[in-house]
Amino acid sequence: MPYTAALEFAQRQVAALIERHPDYFPIYTECGRWRHGGELWTDWTGGFLAGMMWQFHLRTGDPTWRERAEHYSRLLEHRQHDRNVHDLGFIFLNTYLPWYELSGEKHLHDVLIQAGRTLAMRFQERGHYLRSFVAPESLFIDIMMNVPIIFYAANESGDDDLRRVALAHCRTTRDTIVRPDGSTAHEGIFDLETGKFLRESTHQGLAANSRWARGLAWSLYGYSKVYALTGLDEMLEVSERNARFWLDHLPADGVPLWDFDADSTAPPPRGAQKESSAGAIAASGLLDLATQTKSPDRAKAYRETALRTLDRLVTPDYLASETPGWEGILKHGVYHTAKNLGVDESVMWGEFFFVEALTKAAVRSLTTSP
Ligand code: GLY
């Protein structure tokens, strides 16, 4: 299916979701339906539903999407003070940032800066990292996608301490859970007394020392975003190291298994289980990285890989357009295998990054789809 047709399908699915369940922020589907009874684990995905509405408005100019986007963004405003999650970048950069960029309203700017300040309060001076939501001794690779809101707040407010904290987190992450070959661990555990890095760990990957696909995608895209905000080549180097691993290990169809160490001959969920959301995140990140790298050859490779993934994701094997009753956009995502939450389902961040990547490709006329 052409990318623009896939985006139109995405708009219909989101419109149906908000009609069916007004003011509800689901995280994953159960048997293709958004109203889930399972736990959240952590409440981190509201910005993706509202963020899709902003993407739809920005691409089409449709005022209805803007009204919906403003309404759903406003429902998230109180989260600027939320100290229970490490996800304030996901929540606010996809909502209040596009809103502020369109309107220039000071209040929206203030919310963004406050969200950056709140996230920065997670900084552990011993160890030099932003603690994850699970424990003070824990650093997650996912935080690389959220630390950009601290850089944003630092740049906009001129607060050097915010920049210090954000830079230190990126460097600690690079030096502990990004490996020399560009793969990543999900979690790092630190000694709270000395701040010393102790070991790799995981919650959502196959094993502490495995290569969880979504974590790698978060790192690739996160360091690329940090490079965009800082201009520091050391950040570009990490993103390109992640990208090299991604390109070298991605299956021919452009969609990874949930963990690069999963046994492709074993049954799902721990074996041959595809993870479409990791594919969508990496595709969106690679489209940006293609504009940042200093190597024309690598730019071409990043773009081609992103389009290979998107071309696969817009087929009916992944796009739910020909799956009657499926309420999501993209099938075959995975949230949390060990907890059996959202496995082989639609997941809200998969929806968002798929829409974001398709929009980038469509706007830049990069489509390779027929
Ligand atoms: N906790 C973030 C993720 O599932 O990727």
Side-chain angles (χ1 to χ4, degrees):
M1 182 185 280
Y3 294 172
T4 47
L7 284 167
E8 282 157 16
F9 170 69
Q11 290 179 200
R12 290 196 295 279
Q13 293 299 82
V14 173
L17 162 61
I18 62 180
E19 170 92 5
R20 209 179 284 120
H21 304 298
D23 297 354
Y24 173 55
F25 289 95
I27 292 194
Y28 51 87
T29 60
E30 282 174 350
C31 300
R33 299 193 186 275
W34 281 119
R35 176 63 76 173
H36 56 78
E39 61 167 304
L40 305 179
W41 191 40
T42 172
D43 184 3
W44 62 289
T45 66
F48 300 131
L49 178 58
M52 277 192 283
M53 300 173 196
W54 285 109
Q55 294 280 327
F56 297 151
H57 171 66
L58 289 170
R59 189 179 70 85
T60 64
D62 181 343
T64 305
W65 280 116
R66 177 148 180 182
E67 277 164 36
R68 291 166 170 161
E70 289 191 14
H71 174 77
Y72 275 80
S73 298
R74 218 171 267 119
L75 295 177
L76 298 168
E77 186 165 315
H78 64 286
R79 304 288 303 275
Q80 67 185 297
H81 301 292
D82 187 343
R83 298 193 59 184
N84 294 320
V85 298
H86 56 238
D87 303 295
L88 297 182
F90 284 139
I91 294 171
F92 288 98
L93 291 175
N94 300 320
T95 55
Y96 276 69
L97 184 56
W99 192 1
Y100 173 61
E101 286 174 343
L102 280 178
S103 71
E105 279 174 45
K106 180 176 178 308
H107 169 68
L108 306 173
H109 189 246
D110 292 346
V111 171
L112 284 160
I113 295 198
Q114 179 57 51
R117 289 195 189 286
T118 304
L119 185 61
M121 290 175 198
R122 308 190 76 77
F123 193 64
Q124 298 287 116
E125 290 292 350
R126 289 186 193 162
H128 285 176
Y129 59 93
L130 296 159
R131 54 159 292 187
S132 83
F133 84 98
V134 297
E137 62 269 27
S138 158
L139 172 163
F140 274 19
I141 194 68
D142 325 20
I143 299 172
M144 279 310 306
M145 282 293 280
N146 290 287
V147 72
I149 198 163
I150 305 183
F151 282 111
Y152 178 83
N155 291 348
E156 295 291 310
S157 66
D159 184 335
D160 285 342
D161 204 50
L162 288 176
R163 186 177 158 82
R164 174 187 74 86
V165 161
L167 266 179
H169 176 82
C170 295
R171 289 176 177 148
T172 302
T173 303
R174 174 194 64 195
D175 296 342
T176 55
I177 60 171
V178 180
R179 305 181 182 118
D181 69 357
S183 70
T184 53
H186 180 195
E187 185 183 35
I189 301 293
F190 290 74
D191 182 321
L192 287 177
E193 290 302 315
T194 64
K196 197 168 160 285
F197 174 68
L198 297 176
R199 62 179 183 279
E200 296 181 344
S201 177
T202 196
H203 294 262
Q204 287 160 280
L206 187 68
N209 63 354
S210 75
R211 286 83 57 95
W212 177 47
R214 191 160 67 253
L216 180 57
W218 290 145
S219 184
L220 183 165
Y221 198 175
Y223 278 99
S224 147
K225 280 181 179 291
V226 171
Y227 175 62
L229 285 156
T230 62
L232 290 172
D233 285 345
E234 63 181 298
M235 304 298 165
L236 181 63
E237 183 278 321
V238 186
S239 181
E240 295 217 70
R241 197 163 10 124
N242 297 145
R244 190 166 61 242
F245 186 93
W246 187 269
L247 267 59
D248 286 349
H249 294 81
L250 195 64
D253 67 356
V255 185
L257 295 185
W258 69 289
D259 192 300
F260 284 101
D261 292 297
D263 178 355
S264 60
T265 64
R270 291 185 73 78
Q273 172 61 55
K274 287 287 194 179
E275 215 293 66
S276 58
S277 82
I281 296 158
S284 196
L286 286 169
L287 288 175
D288 286 359
L289 197 56
T291 68
Q292 295 173 316
T293 180
K294 290 157 187 150
S295 155
D297 289 347
R298 288 202 294 275
K300 184 165 176 287
Y302 298 156
R303 206 175 297 113
E304 285 175 356
T305 302
L307 297 182
R308 176 155 55 95
T309 299
L310 292 179
D311 283 351
R312 181 72 182 123
L313 295 183
V314 296
T315 67
D317 286 344
Y318 286 91
L319 195 72
S321 54
E322 294 178 22
T323 309
W326 195 276
E327 295 176 358
I329 301 163
L330 194 60
K331 298 180 290 182
H332 309 307
V334 175
Y335 180 21
H336 200 309
T337 307
K339 284 179 172 284
N340 193 27
L341 299 175
V343 177
D344 203 24
E345 295 285 347
S346 291
V347 291
M348 197 49 84
W349 57 95
E351 313 283 81
F352 173 81
F353 288 102
F354 179 55
V355 163
E356 185 188 70
L358 285 177
T359 304
K360 282 179 196 171
V363 167
R364 296 179 201 167
S365 303
L366 293 176
T367 182
T368 63
S369 256

